[in-house]
């Protein structure tokens, strides 16, 4: 039970640090990427079974493409890419 509580606490901590180091829009865009991380984790946990359907794969791909477009547009406006470290930690947590 302590592991679940620890992971939940880590998730809250990384979310707060991500909001401190970047803006809300960035956190929301990267929060959408957690869907992709969960889909990959499910596929690996099920040892290759339960592959998402083609429409779901298209949706996951579009999430990744638009998140990449957001990061590209942010880097063009002068935002430092180093500020994304806490946001990435939030997605992984």
């Amino acid at each position: 039970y302590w592991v679940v509580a620890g992971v939940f606490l880590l998730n809250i901590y990384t979310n707060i640090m991500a909001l401190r180091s970047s803006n809300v829009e960035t956190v929301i865009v990267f929060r959408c990427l957690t869907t992709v991380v969960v889909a990959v984790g499910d596929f690996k946990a099920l040892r290759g079974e339960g592959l998402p359907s083609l429409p779901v794969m298209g949706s996951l791909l579009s999430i990744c493409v638009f998140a990449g477009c957001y990061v590209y547009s942010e880097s063009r406006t002068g935002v430092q890419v180093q500020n994304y470290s806490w946001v990435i930690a939030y997605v992984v947590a």
Side-chain angles (χ1 to χ4, degrees), residues 67-84:
C69 291
Y70 177 80
V71 170
Y72 177 73
S73 70
E74 283 286 307
S75 66
R76 301 275 298 175
T77 59
V79 173
Q80 298 292 325
V81 179
Q82 292 90 2
N83 294 342
Y84 293 144

Side-chain angles (χ1 to χ4, degrees), residues 13-31 70-71 74-75 78-91:
Y13 178 73
T14 55
N15 189 14
I16 291 170
M17 295 305 290
L19 286 170
R20 289 179 71 193
S21 68
S22 62
N23 56 12
V24 175
E25 293 86 5
T26 304
V27 174
I28 290 171
V29 167
F30 278 88
R31 187 176 289 171
Y70 177 80
V71 170
E74 283 286 307
S75 66
V79 173
Q80 298 292 325
V81 179
Q82 292 90 2
N83 294 342
Y84 293 144
S85 60
W86 280 110
V87 181
I88 293 171
Y90 172 73
V91 170

Side-chain angles (χ1 to χ4, degrees), residues 54-74:
L54 194 58
V56 173
M57 291 289 272
S59 298
L60 294 174
L61 181 64
S62 68
I63 289 172
C64 293
V65 167
F66 288 119
C69 291
Y70 177 80
V71 170
Y72 177 73
S73 70
E74 283 286 307

